[in-house]
């Protein structure tokens, strides 16, 4: 297993990216290619003893795509940028996966232009795991496409179901279409047209419409929506989780000695809760639908997040998700409709 890591992408690059890569090399035993400014990367690696023995190499690049640049224009003009070169290493077969915490738009664009889409897939989709009371729910799309046709949502449901089964180990995952009500006739035109197409699929366990509250309850294993709605849900969930933890800390601080004593007794439970709500436990989200393994991490990723994201890439490759998606596309006639 060899993973290309965009060392220059992210708010805390290259320090946290490099630290996370070193941690992952130790944890997963995979080879890692750090792509970016070699001088800056080596300066960070000097703080990590024994990194030379971990199968870590550096691939120098002279350019970086900044967060405020137009993704398509930047990918086309900055041929020697870290995310473009890292993606190209996967295309050329030198690496098994690419990981970036930089501009999501640039990472998605690079994957589509360089790796290309899987034949039969209209638009790639970002699949993000969301912690629930029953484990985890995979939501897609969470930001790759703000507008999607019904067939794109159907394809997302198929790919999400495969990922949930072969990476999370969920047998016959329950798939739901995010909507404003359970009834088949509810929702906007997009939702009403998508519902009957999902019912036609033989390869997924479509369980009907999922309402917003069903996501944190874990009533579905896979929830599909367009990238606009999905990204709003995701950012709301992230903000709510942080707010809950902050409110708990403030209540303990203002509650006097008894509250502090109670918190001390509850500390192991609170730590477990914090861990379940911590996005860094999952690290990265796969971009499903492209001919290669592409993992996208949050811009604010720290070393722990990057390490977890490399673990996601590892599981994606070992789960042979790409092969299973291609096989299912051949079996499902409805998925091959014009997209």
């Amino acid at each position: 297993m060899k993973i290309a890591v965009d060392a220059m992408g992210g708010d805390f690059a290259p320090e946290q990216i490099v630290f996370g890569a070193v941690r992952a090399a130790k944890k997963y035993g995979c080879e890692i290619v750090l792509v970016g400014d070699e001088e800056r990367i080596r300066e960070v690696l000097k703080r990590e003893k024994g990194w030379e023995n971990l199968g870590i190499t550096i691939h120098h690049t002279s350019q970086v795509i900044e967060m405020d640049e137009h993704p398509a224009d930047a990918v086309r003009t900055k041929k020697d940028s870290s995310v473009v070169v890292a993606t190209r290493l996967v295309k050329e077969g030198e690496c098994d996966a690419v990981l970036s915490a930089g501009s999501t738009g640039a990472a998605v664009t690079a994957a589509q232009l360089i790796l290309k889409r899987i034949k039969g897939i209209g638009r790639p989709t970002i699949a993000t795991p969301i912690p629930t009371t029953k484990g985890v729910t995979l939501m897609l799309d969470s930001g790759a496409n703000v507008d999607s046709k019904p067939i794109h949502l159907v394809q997302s449901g198929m790919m999400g179901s495969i990922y949930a089964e072969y990476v999370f180990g969920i047998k016959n995952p329950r798939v739901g279409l995010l909507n404003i009500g359970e009834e088949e006739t509810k929702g906007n035109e997009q939702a009403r047209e998508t519902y009957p197409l999902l019912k036609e699929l033989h390869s997924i366990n479509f369980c009907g419409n999922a309402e917003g509250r069903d996501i944190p309850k874990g009533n579905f294993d896979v929830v599909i929506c367009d990238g606009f709605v999905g990204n709003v849900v995701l950012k709301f969930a992230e903000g709510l989780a942080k707010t809950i933890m902050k409110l708990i800390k403030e209540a303990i601080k203002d509650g006097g000695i008894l509250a502090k004593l109670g918190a001390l007794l509850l500390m192991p439970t609170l730590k477990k809760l914090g861990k379940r709500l911590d996005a860094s436990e999952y690290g990265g989200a796969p971009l499903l639908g492209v001919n290669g393994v592409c993992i996208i991490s949050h811009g604010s990723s720290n070393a722990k997040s990057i390490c977890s994201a490399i673990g996601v890439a590892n599981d994606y490759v070992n789960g042979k998700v790409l092969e299973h998606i291609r096989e299912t596309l051949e079996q499902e006639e409805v998925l091959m409709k014009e997209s």
Side-chain angles (χ1 to χ4, degrees), residues 171-184:
K171 297 297 181 183
N172 204 27
R174 299 161 297 169
V175 178
L177 174 64
L178 191 60
N179 207 332
I180 58 173
E182 297 180 358
E183 297 84 0
E184 184 174 348

Side-chain angles (χ1 to χ4, degrees), residues 187-219:
N188 56 16
E189 184 178 351
Q190 178 197 64
R192 294 195 304 273
E193 290 182 7
T194 302
Y195 195 105
L197 292 177
L198 286 167
K199 288 175 65 176
E200 288 184 47
L201 292 187
H202 303 288
S203 58
I204 71 170
N205 177 24
F206 178 55
C207 297
N209 286 329
E211 296 184 86
R213 59 173 172 261
D214 288 318
I215 297 176
K217 287 182 178 180
N219 292 336

